[in-house]
Amino acid sequence: MTPDIKPFVAGNWKMNGQRDSLDQLALMARGVDEALFDKVDVVVCPPATLLYVATTLSEDTPLMVGAQDCHREAKGAHTGDVSAEMVADCLGEFCIVGHSERRTDHGETDFHVAGKAQACWRAGLTAIICIGETEAEYDSGRAEEVLGRQLAMSVPEGATEKDTVIAYEPVWAIGTGKTPSPDDIRDIHAFIRDVLVERFGGHGERMRILYGGSVKPDNATELLSVNNVDGALVGGASLKAQDFLAICESYRKV
Ligand code: 13P
């Protein structure tokens, strides 16, 4: 954790969830009460098809809703894409951009990611900008070089703690059950903090840096106890309300 930064837990449902998953969303909305919200900000990012119904279900609760991606343009001839303005129109407040699965599946570059982050800001959304090295990059000791480049090119000028959250997700830890050691996470998050402070001054000091990759109820507390880990971006364990709320609860107690 970072003193004075409110922890933040985001659930990324990825391409999972149909209407029959809405009972899980309703349970999450019920579970994120004022007492929890007092200590932790909680966001769930369902697929775009469920976005509007998710914001409706969480209306009048502190649970917040986000999307998993957006186009850099506000509207136009881009078949199949969703704009940040459309997310805002569905009452979403956040949008994940630059997830490694989009970088791999859709060839998104840092340049695209920066454009999407700016689109989020234009629409009044907070961008959750993902960065992360591959296993080969990690094994060859190039993690910081890769992350430094991603931070420099994916995070646009002028980012603040209000419109931007950084999520460090080592690609090799996503969905694998593997996580870096707490010492490794501490070193990488310290590196990310230094880069953010150098570029954005006080905003960089206050910007939340999440860890993502195989976060589960049983390792959440240990991970959040690491310096400069201000929360989690949770994939698989965010699909079930019980697991997701258990992670949020453990963050409340830290
Ligand atoms: P898992 O928690 O399933 O490893 O996924 C992490 C992730 O990619 C969240 O964006």
Side-chain angles (χ1 to χ4, degrees), residues 10-14 96 99-101 130 167 169-171 173-179 211-216 232-239 247:
N12 174 10
W13 282 18
K14 309 191 178 185
I96 299 169
H99 193 283
S100 61
E101 286 151 14
C130 300
E169 298 203 304
V171 177
I174 294 176
T176 58
K178 292 194 261 184
T179 59
Y211 168 77
S214 298
V215 177
K216 309 282 177 219
L233 182 53
V234 185
S238 72
L239 294 170
I247 292 171

Side-chain angles (χ1 to χ4, degrees), residues 2-5 159-161 192-209 228 230:
T2 312
D4 301 330
I5 294 187
T160 74
E161 70 279 15
I192 295 170
R193 177 70 68 205
D194 286 348
V195 171
L196 294 175
V197 172
E198 192 168 315
R199 233 180 117 195
F200 304 115
H203 296 299
E205 279 168 22
R206 295 185 292 274
M207 206 172 282
R208 289 187 276 201
I209 308 173
N228 286 305
D230 307 314

Side-chain angles (χ1 to χ4, degrees), residues 144-184:
E144 289 191 2
E145 173 198 327
V146 171
L147 296 170
R149 192 201 68 229
Q150 291 179 338
L151 282 170
M153 300 186 60
S154 299
V155 184
E157 273 319 314
T160 74
E161 70 279 15
K162 294 203 186 336
D163 56 30
T164 304
V165 173
I166 304 296
Y168 166 57
E169 298 203 304
V171 177
W172 52 273
I174 294 176
T176 58
K178 292 194 261 184
T179 59
S181 69
D183 283 354
D184 274 2

